[in-house]
Amino acid sequence: MSVDGDGTEAEAEAEDAGWEVDPDDEQGIAVLAALGRQLKAWREAKGLRAADFGTAIGYGEDLVRKVESGKRIPRPEYLDRADEVLNAGGKISAMRTDTEQVRYPKQVRDLAKLEHKAVELSAYRNHNIHGLLQTDGYARALFEMWQPPQTKQEVERGLAARVARRSIFERSPAHALCFVQEEVTLRRRIGGTMVMRAQLERLLEVAELRQVTIQVMPTDLEEHAGMGGLMQILKFADGSAVARSEGAFNGRPVSDPRRLRILEHRHAMIRSQALTPRESVAFIEQVLGET
């Protein structure tokens, strides 16, 4: 690690070596507090000061103290280096599972849990490609254009969370996944031409999966049931469901049968008005050829 005269570069690198703790995430705070106590106990049992330990694992003393006090979420490589230096025999590296559960914002974790619990997911997007379908480059470009601008750390954390959600495609038994994308989301070159080409190729790749249906809503369609904005419906094995739409019920998630029927009907209309799955694949191929 390079250090300039007043240590500012080293401090910047140390700050990038972990994630901030969400002050409203009670579960995350509890997990990190317990993790920090264990790391401190391991370090003190070896007779190492925080500064010496930080030097040994390649991080600053300030970061070490933040991690041990539960104020910073360590990256996986931090735990691996700590395991090596403290001769923990894999016990500290095993804590990566705990940090993976809290490294993402609570609302993202909650969404990921619902997505993985669901047996059916139906979604409509009108501004950008659905998060589950995004490539790394496309997702990064979206995070970097947010206003007010996000920090580098916030961008990386958001990207990591989005990438982790993609494991939904590998679940067994498989989900039934239906995505309806507005035509404009295929044509707006988020991240530039090459990023968008890779994104269109990813859509075609995912569309080949048996459990996935992708449809395109043409811009020139006169009648359109999706004018209320983006929508997502999740259905679970026990027959329950949860849904949310920007333009209905103040944008809040709903689960009562009456409101669910309204959103399910609206999404069914959107699907009936969009191109068929076969037509949609051909359309995406056409847009790719024009990009």
Side-chain angles (χ1 to χ4, degrees):
M1 180 182 297
S2 60
V3 182
D4 58 15
D6 58 5
T8 54
E9 185 174 346
E11 290 169 4
E13 290 184 14
E15 286 301 302
D16 285 340
W19 295 272
E20 293 289 347
V21 181
D22 183 349
D24 297 323
D25 185 358
E26 295 182 0
Q27 176 191 359
I29 290 173
V31 169
L32 292 170
L35 174 66
R37 287 194 297 270
Q38 292 182 61
L39 287 171
K40 184 177 181 180
W42 274 94
R43 173 178 63 77
E44 291 181 340
K46 292 293 183 180
L48 289 173
R49 297 182 304 165
D52 296 333
F53 176 64
T55 299
I57 64 173
Y59 296 101
E61 177 183 359
D62 183 58
L63 179 64
V64 170
R65 294 195 180 280
K66 285 182 178 179
V67 169
E68 292 182 353
S69 62
K71 296 179 181 179
R72 194 81 170 175
I73 306 172
R75 290 182 181 269
E77 53 268 27
Y78 179 103
L79 297 177
D80 289 341
R81 287 291 298 133
D83 194 280
E84 293 175 9
V85 170
L86 298 174
N87 298 316
K91 293 180 180 178
I92 292 178
S93 290
M95 298 178 187
R96 293 174 58 159
T97 302
D98 297 320
T99 60
E100 286 172 359
Q101 297 300 314
V102 299
R103 64 185 289 193
Y104 312 125
K106 184 177 185 299
Q107 63 182 30
V108 176
R109 296 203 311 271
D110 291 344
L111 174 60
K113 287 179 181 178
L114 287 175
E115 288 175 344
H116 278 267
K117 179 182 176 183
V119 295
E120 182 179 334
L121 180 153
S122 300
Y124 161 71
R125 297 304 291 261
N126 55 355
H127 293 308
N128 51 57
I129 304 297
H130 192 284
L132 291 173
L133 300 173
Q134 293 173 10
T135 63
D136 291 9
Y138 186 96
R140 181 183 295 279
L142 282 178
F143 284 123
E144 290 179 343
M145 69 176 61
W146 279 12
Q147 294 296 329
Q150 293 189 318
T151 64
K152 177 182 177 182
Q153 176 190 337
E154 289 171 332
V155 170
E156 294 300 329
R157 190 180 187 190
L159 178 60
R162 189 150 298 180
V163 169
R165 288 170 57 203
R166 291 186 204 146
S167 61
I168 192 173
F169 294 109
E170 302 167 4
R171 179 182 168 184
S172 181
H175 289 62
L177 305 170
C178 172
F179 303 93
V180 180
Q181 292 285 157
E182 279 291 332
E183 176 184 340
V184 67
T185 66
L186 308 180
R187 296 191 180 278
R188 180 173 291 122
R189 299 188 182 186
I190 301 295
T193 298
M194 298 311 295
V195 168
M196 198 60 213
R197 284 188 59 84
Q199 178 60 70
L200 293 171
E201 290 169 350
R202 172 61 177 168
L203 292 180
L204 293 173
E205 176 185 323
V206 174
E208 293 181 355
L209 299 176
R210 295 184 63 186
Q211 76 270 30
V212 176
T213 300
I214 296 179
Q215 293 179 255
V216 176
M217 179 69 77
T219 299
D220 61 3
L221 193 70
E222 294 182 1
E223 295 186 11
H224 192 336
M227 299 308 291
L230 66 83
M231 181 187 308
Q232 182 150 305
I233 303 171
L234 298 171
K235 297 183 178 181
F236 308 104
D238 62 2
S240 63
V242 63
R244 187 180 82 84
S245 174
E246 278 185 331
F249 314 118
N250 296 316
R252 297 175 180 173
V254 298
S255 56
D256 65 281
R258 183 183 66 83
R259 291 183 171 182
L260 279 171
R261 281 195 298 271
I262 292 173
L263 295 185
E264 288 174 347
H265 173 72
R266 187 173 299 174
H267 192 269
M269 286 296 295
I270 290 172
R271 289 199 63 184
S272 69
Q273 293 167 339
L275 299 178
T276 67
R278 185 184 297 273
E279 293 170 337
S280 296
V281 167
F283 190 88
I284 295 171
E285 291 175 336
Q286 175 188 329
V287 175
L288 176 59
E290 298 169 354
T291 301

